[in-house]
Amino acid sequence: MADLIRLQKYFSDCGILSRRAAEAEILAGKVTVNGTRASLGDRVDPDIDLVEYKGKPVKPRQSKPYLYLMLHKPRGYVSTAKDEKGRKSVIDLTKGVGSRVYPVGRLDMDSEGLLLMTDDGAFANHLTHPRHEIPKIYHVTLSTEPTAEQLSALSAPMELDGYRLQPVEIKRLTPNKLEMTLYEGRNRQIRRMCESADLKVTRLCRIAIGKIKLEPLPLGRWRHLTEEEVLYLFPQKENHHGSEN
């Protein structure tokens, strides 16, 4: 008998949904276990239990390598596996990869740049964990040249929704273009920070995650991460198929 695992982890292990997306689908009543509507917190035995999503069986992943991709996301694409409004999704740009992959974190629809995608739930969970410390680097173009006071406001301690943000490193590249380095990723953080300093973002591009650089990958294209890049982002990769925390 296999070890019981959380239902949302089972989904990510099967390469169907990320844990977060699976939780939402479970809460929406779209998942059953052995014919019974599933609840958040349920655990399953992959060798015995029948898990179904929207009436279709969710089968354990076959023994094949996980996929780790870098996508140069264009503006106008949402970073979700499915979109109720029918908008273009980053999934549309990775249909030929040979497996179902989903985004690791998000870039909002009006932003562009480096987006990681995978079918490895443990990899995605590691990179989206609040304690994950690899910096994300953005080039931010503003509608006007920021004043010294506005730059100071961006660099000063700031709160969003009652949460105290970690310090953000800021470097001016041109009169109205900044490089901003974040060590966390709150929802639309850069745009909201700029709004609080009376600045309007006209273009936002993630150019790097730590030492993983976007260039020279063309807009709208993807490539596999190298083994070295995967281990840099996820040092525990060699041992992550063990028991669940």
Side-chain angles (χ1 to χ4, degrees):
M1 180 176 178
D3 292 334
L4 297 180
I5 62 173
R6 290 192 182 95
L7 187 53
Q8 58 266 39
K9 182 178 186 297
Y10 178 73
F11 269 88
S12 67
D13 287 350
C14 292
I16 303 300
L17 296 167
S18 68
R19 293 192 195 188
R20 184 178 301 174
E23 289 174 358
E25 297 297 80
I26 293 168
L27 290 172
K30 298 178 183 179
V31 179
T32 62
V33 179
N34 301 324
T36 302
R37 178 173 170 172
S39 300
L40 206 59
D42 285 354
R43 291 174 178 262
V44 296
D45 182 338
D47 294 336
I48 298 175
D49 294 317
L50 172 61
V51 178
E52 293 181 297
Y53 173 47
K54 296 182 178 180
K56 296 182 180 180
V58 178
K59 298 180 180 179
R61 180 188 179 89
Q62 300 300 312
S63 56
K64 61 179 181 179
Y66 285 117
L67 294 177
Y68 307 94
L69 310 179
M70 171 199 295
L71 171 70
H72 189 161
K73 176 194 173 300
R75 284 184 281 186
Y77 285 78
V78 295
S79 297
T80 54
K82 293 186 179 180
D83 182 64
E84 295 178 354
K85 298 180 180 179
R87 294 172 295 185
K88 294 182 293 185
S89 167
V90 294
I91 302 300
D92 300 328
L93 299 172
T94 55
K95 286 183 176 178
V97 302
S99 182
R100 182 184 180 88
V101 294
Y102 47 83
V104 180
R106 293 188 179 184
L107 278 176
D108 65 53
M109 188 172 73
D110 296 325
S111 299
E112 60 192 284
L114 196 165
L115 182 67
L116 299 176
M117 302 186 71
T118 189
D119 56 358
D120 183 349
F123 176 81
N125 192 54
H126 171 75
L127 288 178
T128 54
H129 194 281
R131 290 199 296 269
H132 181 66
E133 296 180 349
I134 295 180
K136 298 180 177 67
I137 305 168
Y138 300 80
H139 281 177
V140 185
T141 305
L142 304 167
S143 60
T144 57
E145 180 179 349
T147 65
E149 291 76 14
Q150 288 172 317
L151 288 177
S152 179
L154 289 176
S155 302
M158 187 180 294
E159 288 189 1
L160 288 180
D161 301 327
Y163 176 86
R164 189 176 184 85
L165 299 174
Q166 294 184 33
V168 175
E169 298 173 12
I170 298 175
K171 180 169 65 176
R172 192 195 293 265
L173 301 175
T174 67
N176 68 326
K177 186 175 182 179
L178 306 177
E179 182 175 283
M180 299 180 68
T181 301
L182 277 63
Y183 289 87
E184 61 188 336
R186 311 298 294 184
N187 184 38
R188 295 177 66 86
Q189 178 176 338
I190 289 177
R191 294 182 188 276
R192 295 170 69 192
M193 288 178 63
C194 290
E195 287 173 5
S196 71
D198 295 322
L199 292 166
K200 181 180 179 181
V201 175
T202 60
R203 187 176 184 184
L204 178 60
C205 180
R206 183 191 289 159
I207 64 159
I209 297 178
K211 68 179 184 181
I212 310 298
K213 309 293 185 183
L214 175 64
E215 297 297 341
L217 187 64
L219 186 67
R221 303 295 296 272
W222 60 268
R223 71 165 176 84
H224 293 279
L225 294 180
T226 66
E227 183 68 17
E228 180 183 2
E229 289 171 332
V230 174
L231 289 174
Y232 164 72
L233 294 167
F234 187 33
Q236 304 93 323
K237 177 179 181 293
E238 297 295 338
N239 303 311
H240 83 275
H241 296 294
S243 61
E244 180 184 17
N245 292 331

